[in-house]
Amino acid sequence: MKKVLILGGGVGGTIVANVLARRASPNETNITLVDATGRHVYQPGFIYVALGDEKPENLVRDERGLLDKHVNLVIDEAILIDPDEKKVRLKSGRILDYDYLVVATGARLCPEELPGFEAAHHFYDLDASVRLSRVLDSFSGGRIVIGIGGMPYKCPPAPVEFACLLDYYFTRRGSRHKVEIHYLSPLPRVFPIESVAHLVQEIMDSGGIKYTQLFNVERIEPENNLVHSLEGESLKYDLLIVVPPHRGTKVVENSGLGDRGGWIPTDKYTLKAKGYDDIYVVGDATDIPISKAGATAHYEAKVVGENIAADIRGSGTKRLYDGKVQCFFDAGFKKGMRIAFDYEHPPKPARLSRRWYYMKMLIKKIYWSVILKGWI
Amino acid sequence: MTQDIKIDRVIDARGSFCPGPLMELIKAIKEAKVGEVISVYSSDSGSKRDIPIWVEKAGHELLGVFDRDSYTEFVVRKKR
């Protein structure tokens, strides 16, 4: 009997568990997933909660109901990984051993690392998104500034997507003329992907969305409503929305498995932690220089689940992760873009269409019953 | 040639299109100590424009841009 221990019940951990449960015999595989809360949250929905288009309770489900019946769910927090002894210590004091470990612990928000962050809002967790929805609802006019407080951060297009959606939000409310939307891009273009940036810039220009390029938020000065960049510029705001700095999770840092940012050095093809043949890393927890996003975790998790199953069976060809990422950008006004690429194929120039907006809405619906099961 | 320069950290961002090599460099610079030298490998055609622009704007030093077989190497020193 091989023991597979999965840390984290987000999109990556859940798909690994379900794919493995389907592909490996329960007589020869024991699958345990450890999650601190037992509540699974659909993170791409945060922006819609912040904009008042989604109820927070619709984004949360019980993790148990999302897992194959052969997966043991332990609601507890992993606090220390001992790769030499092949054991994981939990907050309760319980110790679990493993033959295969999958670290899918995600990223941790660290707003305290950005001076003055208490003056800012964000949409990177559910509670903050609810607070931002109230602030936006009562916003009577002025300059809304959207910036990025550190690298890396989850879902690189999300802040500029939010700027586009704010244009739609205030247009629908009839108060767009009272609101200036100003996006601070960390790059010398408005979008991370060069082949898509021209179209995003057209969308922003046509919507009257202002932007400053090469502005990485370094410090906020709440007493004067100023945000400062590490490049030496400043901008005044009436409402400030900043992506909080991210780090790897504490269990990774405490176990000495992370780099300076707490991300685990990971082989970009095998998804094994470098130096360990029995530890896989999925999703935001890796140091792989591609998008930290659910779409990335989704495709990585399928590879890891299939490969562990093949290893246990002692058969089957191992698959390498090819860097596949596919995501859908909501540009507002019920139009969207599809962005897809892998390590070898840069994204093609995107097209704006209603089809991709509705595809994004469809994914929100099939996430629970199809994507998390690893069917696609 | 880079063999004359002591590299403190290598960022292999080949195959990274989103967030892309410049964002990886910004992350590494923030984590680095003043004086450390970072080398970034990029296969993204936009890097030849992006990286020099940001390095100058942020007040760091571009020590070299080297064309390799199928990628470009950028060597940057953190100055402040």
Side-chain angles (χ1 to χ4, degrees):
Chain A
M1 178 70 80
K2 294 289 185 185
K3 292 182 179 174
V4 182
L5 180 57
I6 300 163
L7 305 182
V11 56
T14 303
I15 292 174
V16 171
N18 286 335
V19 168
L20 192 52
R22 258 203 319 278
R23 289 178 172 255
S25 159
N27 300 326
E28 56 187 7
T29 312
N30 175 286
I31 308 164
T32 300
L33 186 147
V34 176
D35 187 74
T37 66
R39 292 164 71 248
H40 189 109
V41 183
Y42 180 66
Q43 297 187 43
F46 291 164
I47 52 173
Y48 296 104
V49 169
L51 294 163
D53 290 333
E54 183 67 91
K55 292 181 178 146
E57 56 269 29
N58 289 348
L59 303 185
V60 184
R61 298 220 183 157
D62 182 357
E63 176 70 7
R64 179 65 270 173
L66 303 170
L67 292 170
D68 186 286
K69 66 178 189 288
H70 294 111
V71 178
N72 311 304
L73 173 63
V74 174
I75 299 173
D76 202 335
E77 188 182 349
I79 56 168
L80 194 70
I81 299 164
D82 182 342
D84 297 328
E85 294 294 323
K86 299 171 77 128
K87 292 183 191 305
V88 173
R89 179 185 295 276
L90 307 184
K91 196 172 181 178
S92 63
R94 190 173 167 189
I95 291 174
L96 300 175
D97 57 338
Y98 63 82
D99 295 298
Y100 299 88
L101 179 68
V102 179
V103 183
T105 47
R108 178 164 56 103
L109 303 182
C110 298
E112 68 281 0
E113 291 189 0
L114 188 70
F117 193 91
E118 64 278 3
H121 287 271
H122 70 89
F123 51 88
Y124 271 73
D125 70 31
L126 201 48
D127 291 344
S129 301
V130 170
R131 283 195 299 274
L132 178 53
S133 73
R134 293 189 191 120
V135 171
L136 287 171
D137 191 47
S138 60
F139 190 72
S140 55
R143 179 188 285 164
I144 302 178
V145 174
I146 302 155
I148 294 155
M151 304 286 168
Y153 64 96
K154 286 186 274 192
C155 194
V160 69
E161 186 176 31
F162 198 74
C164 295
L165 288 169
L166 279 179
D167 175 29
Y168 183 40
Y169 176 88
F170 287 109
T171 300
R172 277 185 297 168
R173 294 162 72 101
S175 56
R176 180 66 182 91
H177 60 289
K178 295 180 185 173
V179 180
E180 179 188 318
I181 302 165
H182 198 120
Y183 172 61
L184 304 174
S185 172
L187 303 171
R189 53 176 178 265
V190 296
F191 196 81
I193 299 167
E194 192 178 36
S195 58
V196 181
H198 303 292
L199 179 55
V200 175
Q201 191 166 322
E202 278 175 33
I203 294 164
M204 294 174 86
D205 288 342
S206 68
I209 300 165
K210 293 190 162 70
Y211 46 84
T212 299
Q213 296 175 359
L214 294 167
F215 195 115
N216 284 272
V217 175
E218 187 178 48
R219 183 168 62 89
I220 300 163
E221 195 184 327
E223 54 275 19
N224 294 310
N225 278 27
L226 279 170
V227 58
H228 302 280
S229 78
L230 65 83
E231 292 84 4
E233 290 188 41
S234 303
L235 188 69
K236 218 163 175 59
Y237 62 83
D238 295 301
L239 170 58
L240 181 62
I241 299 167
V242 175
V243 177
H246 290 40
R247 291 185 65 81
T249 47
K250 283 188 173 172
V251 63
V252 170
E253 292 183 332
N254 294 344
S255 307
L257 292 172
D259 62 12
R260 290 185 202 183
W263 315 109
I264 302 175
T266 305
D267 185 285
K268 67 195 250 189
Y269 298 110
T270 66
L271 301 172
K272 288 182 179 181
K274 287 178 179 171
Y276 300 95
D277 204 40
D278 52 4
I279 302 179
Y280 290 84
V281 194
V282 166
D284 297 346
T286 80
D287 74 336
I288 302 172
I290 55 173
S291 316
K292 293 200 180 297
T296 309
H298 166 199
Y299 294 113
E300 289 176 343
K302 291 195 69 176
V303 172
V304 168
E306 289 169 18
N307 285 353
I308 295 175
D311 215 44
I312 290 170
R313 284 197 315 263
S315 63
T317 310
K318 297 277 176 50
R319 270 217 297 148
L320 294 176
Y321 175 59
D322 60 2
K324 182 180 177 181
V325 178
Q326 175 177 246
C327 62
F328 298 91
F329 180 96
D330 184 350
F333 301 89
K334 292 193 162 40
K335 289 186 177 172
M337 290 184 287
R338 174 181 175 267
I339 302 160
F341 50 92
D342 61 35
Y343 292 142
E344 302 298 328
H345 302 92
K348 293 187 173 77
R351 285 188 314 104
L352 198 60
S353 84
R354 286 191 181 277
R355 175 186 175 190
W356 300 129
Y357 164 78
Y358 286 112
M359 182 62 82
K360 183 159 185 155
M361 297 305 110
L362 177 67
I363 283 172
K364 202 162 50 169
K365 293 199 181 332
I366 65 170
Y367 176 77
W368 307 103
S369 56
V370 178
I371 291 175
L372 288 180
K373 304 294 183 201
W375 294 122
I376 58 169
Chain B
M1 293 301 287
T2 47
Q3 56 255 41
D4 303 328
I5 305 166
K6 180 183 166 288
I7 307 283
D8 294 292
R9 187 175 178 190
V10 173
I11 309 292
D12 186 352
R14 286 175 289 179
S16 172
F17 302 107
C18 183
L22 175 53
M23 284 212 198
E24 294 298 326
L25 173 63
I26 294 169
K27 164 181 170 258
I29 287 273
K30 282 187 98 166
E31 290 173 351
K33 299 181 182 76
V34 172
E36 283 190 336
V37 175
I38 293 156
S39 165
V40 184
Y41 301 170
S42 171
S43 54
D44 183 353
S45 58
S47 294
K48 278 194 169 170
R49 176 179 162 272
D50 288 355
I51 289 178
I53 289 174
W54 181 78
V55 169
E56 184 183 357
K57 174 104 178 169
H60 303 297
E61 184 181 5
L62 186 61
L63 298 176
V65 178
F66 305 95
D67 284 322
R68 306 299 185 203
D69 285 348
S70 57
Y71 65 97
T72 306
E73 180 179 6
F74 299 84
V75 183
V76 179
R77 189 192 308 278
K78 177 167 176 162
K79 295 284 282 185
R80 61 185 188 91

